[in-house]
Amino acid sequence: MALTMDDVDRFEASRPRLEAIAYRLLGSASEAEDAVQETYLRWQAADPGRIEVPEAWLTKVLTNLCLNQLTSARARRETYVGQWLPEPLLAGDPMLGPADTAEQRESVSYAVLVLLERLSPNERAVYVLREAFDYPHREIAEILDISEASSQQIFHRARKHVADGKVRTEVDETAARRIIDEFLTAATSGRTEPLVKLLTQDAVSIGDGGGKVPARAKAFEGALAVAKFMRGLFKPSKAKRALVGGSPEVYATTANGDPAIVAVVDGRVVGVTCLEVTPEGIAAFRSQVNPDKLDRVTRRWAAADHGEPLLRGAF
């Protein structure tokens, strides 16, 4: 069925919200874009004139597409090479969605996206719709074809799982730059002790290379192990430069609301490391180096003013 311009405009007005929901559900910008496009095709095949509440209809279709995707994703993750991490989004990306409340900002943090991977698809959907988009349980129940009481129970269970994670500290761009400045100074000092002082005792470092870029299959655990790894990572070598295709420039920014280190070679983002900062220190480094998960970041990086690098020839 051919859509009218009003039908198209109505969908396009909903697209940013739909993409933000899909990203939180799937942890992948590219998969979120695909899910929203499939929702558009369903919208096109329907008769929009007969749909009483378009926003609710679109949200229901999108959410169920994402639930199907999450079910199949669990099987794919079992055969994924190495650690699986979400696709990072840089500050200002509209796919990050609403950021008016602490709960909304927290729901898209890298740490929480990782924790959401432990939830069932239904738990993840209820948590995202309620916590990040403030949908009432009545509407969530209609979207998922469950009772309102079930929606409330699922939400409390999911929220408890997420709350069991560490308490992160919210930072702005200025604070992020200061934290990363301090970290890079310690990492390039050639000494382990200054790094250990910045970390929590149970700090971890996780990398996702997706089998495309070498990344340790097992996380580094404990302040000393992480500090030694970071000290070695920031020691320049020909092998590392050959691996990333040149001598990288390192920038400080925020990604998913966290302080982030971005490594760039000839305008191409080759790595994004999100730092999980707690009152006790840096609790986690999560590095995305899988090139398949850096396309959107590279496109947005090319279109943004990111200032001068903090470090040249880092590796």
Side-chain angles (χ1 to χ4, degrees):
M1 176 178 291
L3 298 178
T4 67
M5 285 305 299
D6 284 346
D7 294 333
V8 173
D9 289 345
R10 190 174 292 116
F11 183 88
E12 291 303 323
S14 295
R15 184 183 290 274
R17 177 180 56 83
L18 295 175
E19 287 189 342
I21 291 173
Y23 172 70
R24 281 171 166 85
L25 289 176
L26 300 173
S28 165
S30 58
E31 290 180 4
E33 289 171 343
D34 290 344
V36 172
Q37 185 58 27
E38 179 60 30
T39 302
Y40 177 77
L41 294 177
R42 303 283 180 95
W43 174 251
Q44 190 176 40
D47 183 355
R50 293 177 177 271
I51 297 173
E52 292 184 9
V53 187
E55 179 181 295
W57 188 92
L58 291 169
T59 304
K60 183 180 179 72
V61 170
L62 174 83
T63 301
N64 282 285
L65 286 169
C66 290
L67 288 176
N68 292 337
Q69 182 81 352
L70 282 172
T71 301
S72 62
R74 283 176 172 248
R76 293 200 307 275
R77 304 272 164 83
E78 291 177 1
T79 59
Y80 191 82
V81 179
Q83 299 277 348
W84 186 96
L85 289 175
E87 185 174 343
L89 297 179
L90 299 180
D93 192 317
M95 197 176 278
L96 288 170
D100 298 326
T101 67
E103 290 78 13
Q104 288 172 336
R105 294 189 293 274
E106 182 79 13
S107 71
V108 80
S109 71
Y110 221 50
V112 167
L113 288 179
V114 170
L115 288 170
L116 291 183
E117 288 294 307
R118 303 177 186 176
L119 305 183
S120 70
N122 259 22
E123 287 174 336
R124 188 162 182 163
V126 171
Y127 180 85
V128 166
L129 291 172
R130 179 63 182 162
E131 190 80 344
F133 295 88
D134 202 28
Y135 276 81
H137 285 290
R138 174 181 54 78
E139 292 184 23
I140 296 173
E142 291 173 0
I143 289 169
L144 298 177
D145 293 322
I146 58 177
S147 69
E148 189 171 342
S150 292
S151 176
Q152 292 171 338
Q153 291 170 358
I154 291 170
F155 174 69
H156 290 307
R157 187 166 64 243
R159 199 177 195 186
K160 183 179 184 304
H161 286 317
V162 173
D164 285 342
K166 289 184 174 65
V167 179
R168 77 192 255 275
T169 302
E170 287 198 57
V171 298
D172 57 20
E173 289 278 1
T174 302
R177 186 181 178 92
R178 177 183 54 75
I179 291 166
I180 292 170
D181 260 332
E182 190 175 10
F183 166 73
L184 290 177
T185 298
T188 56
S189 70
R191 297 166 54 230
T192 304
E193 294 80 5
L195 278 167
V196 170
K197 291 179 180 179
L198 298 178
L199 311 178
T200 61
Q201 285 303 304
D202 58 351
V204 297
S205 177
I206 304 168
D208 178 351
K212 308 290 180 67
V213 174
R216 194 169 188 259
K218 191 173 183 296
F220 289 93
E221 298 180 352
L224 184 58
V226 172
K228 287 180 177 179
F229 168 67
M230 288 296 170
R231 184 190 65 190
L233 180 64
F234 284 90
K235 186 177 181 180
S237 75
K238 290 182 179 179
K240 291 174 191 170
R241 289 194 290 272
L243 184 64
V244 298
S247 183
E249 297 178 333
V250 172
Y251 296 82
T253 186
T254 60
N256 296 75
D258 295 319
I261 298 169
V262 178
V264 182
V265 174
D266 296 331
R268 176 175 55 91
V269 176
V270 297
V272 177
T273 298
C274 292
L275 282 62
E276 182 182 342
V277 179
T278 72
E280 291 76 34
I282 301 172
F285 298 87
R286 297 184 176 92
S287 301
Q288 185 54 261
V289 293
N290 182 348
D292 293 344
K293 298 182 183 182
L294 295 173
D295 283 345
R296 185 180 178 97
V297 165
T298 294
R299 293 197 305 270
R300 291 194 63 83
W301 186 263
D305 178 14
H306 33 71
E308 290 297 311
L310 295 179
L311 205 59
R312 284 189 169 91
F315 312 147

